[in-house]
Amino acid sequence: MLLKSTMLLKTHRALAPFYGTSSAFQNAKQLSTYAEIARQRRSLQGRVAVLTASTDGIGFAMAQRLALDGAHVVISSRTQENVDAALDKLKSQGFSASGIVCHAGVKEDRDKLIAKAVDEFGGFDILVSNVAVNPGGGGRLMTCNEDVWDKIFSINLKSSFFLAKEALPYMEKKGKASIIFTSSIVGFVPNYAVEFLGAYAISKAALLALSKLMAMELGPKGIRVNCIAPGLIETRFGAAAVKDERAQKIIKGLCPLERTGTSEEMAGLASFLASDDSSYITGANIVAAGGLHSSL
């Protein structure tokens, strides 16, 4: 009983800056009111999220988490089969979701993706650009030919920028909105990828700069722009890198948590960046890589 009273007193003191004097804490109802305020800041209820490359891996996990936290999600992929399978799973879990085929590198497809969200909801609050390619498994930078270079930068960088630009008129109407790019730890430290992700690493570094510059231009419009930089994550897309013996050495020798990450761990960060709990965060490149060293 004494312990419970002491904990309650500490709670009252901790919340005092938000509500003024101790007279504001006379009953549990007021404490529950504060808990409700906190819950609402985390909630995405009534918001609409548009996501690219979101039928598998990190993108699908992000769609699940945003939906779990209350958003309607508009997912997309390059094939109808993938869209249908992902929608079936989301709806079977009781989530509000719709989807459309979208090759992010094709402007007409990006227009259709945006139009779907606008036609259904009049606009959207959250945009997650998760698309990425690494043709042929990549390789060292100086082995990259012009066709591979163009494809990597067209999808990983160009499509992310123009999707955000094309979405801007509809996101502005919301008064506040969140754009989230998916970069990579190799954008910070290309040395991690020197053997197998050369050009890919450069494209991911460019996304870090894109998020900072866009944040400066869009901040006055009420739109926040942030970037997530995952480490080695267990996904189908990242399987080759994760299984590579050089990547395993990095995990065992340089990663404090000594393990790969999960898509769900990236999804939680995306939901935070989409919510009001991150309302004063923009232009941030947030590394989620188990403690791997990261710097530019």
Side-chain angles (χ1 to χ4, degrees):
M1 185 66 180
L2 179 60
L3 178 59
K4 183 177 180 180
S5 298
T6 302
M7 291 177 65
L8 186 59
L9 179 60
K10 289 181 177 179
T11 301
H12 288 178
R13 289 173 177 169
L15 300 183
F18 296 93
Y19 288 105
T21 68
S22 60
S23 63
F25 303 102
Q26 297 303 312
N27 55 56
K29 182 178 180 180
Q30 286 161 313
L31 287 175
S32 66
T33 299
Y34 180 77
E36 176 62 18
I37 292 171
R39 186 195 67 78
Q40 289 178 4
R41 287 188 63 81
R42 292 189 297 270
S43 173
L44 301 177
Q45 195 67 40
R47 301 188 191 183
V48 179
V50 172
L51 305 94
T52 58
S54 45
T55 61
D56 189 25
I58 291 174
F60 182 71
M62 287 178 173
Q64 277 184 311
R65 179 58 184 267
L66 296 177
L68 176 65
D69 289 344
H72 175 91
V73 295
V74 182
I75 64 170
S76 63
S77 176
R78 286 182 294 178
T79 69
Q80 188 66 55
E81 181 181 5
N82 289 345
V83 171
D84 292 342
L87 278 179
D88 286 345
K89 187 171 183 178
L90 289 169
K91 290 181 178 180
S92 72
Q93 295 169 337
F95 297 139
S96 178
S98 55
I100 189 172
V101 171
C102 177
H103 186 311
V106 178
K107 185 182 187 307
E108 291 76 13
D109 279 13
R110 296 195 304 267
D111 290 343
K112 290 177 183 177
L113 174 62
I114 291 170
K116 183 171 184 62
V118 172
D119 291 345
E120 290 182 348
F121 302 100
F124 47 99
D125 320 83
I126 303 161
L127 176 65
V128 180
S129 182
N130 180 62
V131 66
V133 297
N134 188 37
R140 292 180 73 93
L141 177 62
M142 301 312 295
T143 66
C144 181
N145 63 45
E146 190 169 355
D147 288 341
V148 170
W149 177 277
D150 287 346
K151 185 170 185 178
I152 286 174
F153 278 84
S154 175
I155 301 300
N156 297 5
L157 180 64
K158 179 182 175 181
S159 72
S160 292
F161 168 66
F162 280 100
L163 177 63
K165 183 179 179 181
E166 292 151 4
L168 182 58
Y170 308 100
M171 301 187 80
E172 279 186 277
K173 295 177 182 179
K174 294 292 184 175
K176 62 178 181 180
S178 176
I179 296 173
I180 302 168
F181 296 121
T182 304
S183 179
S184 170
I185 184 65
V186 300
F188 279 91
V189 188
N191 291 3
Y192 290 150
V194 64
E195 295 292 342
F196 46 92
L197 293 170
Y200 176 91
I202 297 174
S203 73
K204 291 299 186 176
L207 274 177
L208 303 177
L210 176 63
S211 66
K212 286 190 172 295
L213 192 54
M214 283 190 69
M216 293 189 69
E217 292 198 22
L218 301 187
K221 301 177 185 292
I223 299 173
R224 297 183 296 109
V225 185
N226 294 292
C227 192
I228 297 172
L232 289 161
I233 310 298
E234 294 277 2
T235 65
R236 181 176 57 83
F237 179 81
V242 168
K243 293 177 181 178
D244 190 285
E245 63 179 21
R246 292 160 295 192
Q248 291 300 316
K249 289 179 180 178
I250 290 173
I251 293 171
K252 294 175 182 177
L254 299 174
C255 179
L257 291 186
E258 296 185 339
R259 66 173 177 85
T260 55
T262 68
S263 295
E264 289 72 22
E265 288 171 315
M266 304 305 107
L269 183 52
S271 185
F272 166 70
L273 289 174
S275 76
D276 287 345
D277 265 356
S278 63
S279 57
Y280 202 52
I281 299 176
T282 193
N285 292 316
I286 301 176
V287 177
L292 281 173
H293 172 73
S294 58
S295 64
L296 283 176

